[in-house]
Amino acid sequence: MAEGDNRSTNLLAAETASLEEQLQGWGEVMLMADKVLRWERAWFPPAIMGVVSLVFLTTEQQQRFHEICSNLVKTRRRAVGWWKRLFTLKEEKPKMYFVTMIISLAAVAWVGQQVHNLLLTYLIVTFLLLLPGLNQHGIISKYIGMAKREINKLLKQKEKKNE
């Protein structure tokens, strides 16, 4: 029986030495973790609770990260969709495409001529950074809806004049 205990002790010592060798670089971290887990300071229990709470809160943050990535994919799809519509317009109605491009480029050139480049850059960057919040609070859909109603009124007035 003593021989079995001796063999078990030797095996335990060998495994312990092997583990110590593998964890050699982590010695200081493990000693600090041991102090924290044994609550050697009064503030260690609240710190443990805070860290655990933070880890469990990251699932909420992970979900928000997923939503952000999903929104980026949707935005990319919309941009690609507009790009494809533009090329479809170019192929199917080249005159309409030409007029639309001339008007768009003229408007951009006029704005660029009227507004200083730095101010224009500032306004564009500010708008792009405010865009997610404007969308989240429904401000964009509100004004797009107002613009659609006004365009519809103008079209109806034009139809009445043509009749």
Side-chain angles (χ1 to χ4, degrees), residues 101-113:
M101 286 295 107
I102 292 297
I103 292 172
S104 299
L105 292 174
V108 169
W110 181 79
V111 168
Q113 180 66 29

Side-chain angles (χ1 to χ4, degrees), residues 36-37 39 44-59:
V36 170
L37 293 174
W39 301 1
F44 284 166
I48 291 171
M49 291 171 45
V51 169
V52 170
S53 298
L54 182 66
V55 168
F56 278 91
L57 285 177
T58 58
T59 58

Side-chain angles (χ1 to χ4, degrees), residues 102-163:
I102 292 297
I103 292 172
S104 299
L105 292 174
V108 169
W110 181 79
V111 168
Q113 180 66 29
Q114 299 299 317
V115 181
H116 189 274
N117 287 341
L118 186 59
L119 177 61
L120 188 58
T121 303
Y122 168 77
L123 292 174
I124 290 170
V125 169
T126 302
F127 175 75
L128 290 175
L129 292 176
L130 291 176
L131 191 60
L134 292 171
N135 193 28
Q136 177 72 25
H137 292 283
I139 296 171
I140 291 177
S141 19
K142 174 184 172 184
Y143 286 105
I144 287 177
M146 288 172 51
K148 285 180 181 178
R149 284 190 298 273
E150 291 300 319
I151 290 171
N152 286 336
K153 285 180 188 177
L154 291 173
L155 291 175
K156 286 179 183 177
Q157 289 176 355
K158 184 178 178 182
E159 286 177 2
K160 286 180 183 179
K161 287 182 183 179
N162 289 341
E163 291 177 355

Side-chain angles (χ1 to χ4, degrees), residues 7-49:
R7 187 179 307 163
S8 177
T9 303
N10 289 341
L11 187 58
L12 178 63
E15 286 181 30
T16 302
S18 173
L19 184 61
E20 284 178 1
E21 189 176 315
Q22 291 173 358
L23 298 175
Q24 189 63 38
W26 291 91
E28 293 295 321
V29 174
M30 291 180 70
L31 290 172
M32 187 60 187
D34 180 61
K35 289 179 182 180
V36 170
L37 293 174
R38 288 187 294 117
W39 301 1
E40 288 189 6
R41 304 251 170 134
W43 59 273
F44 284 166
I48 291 171
M49 291 171 45

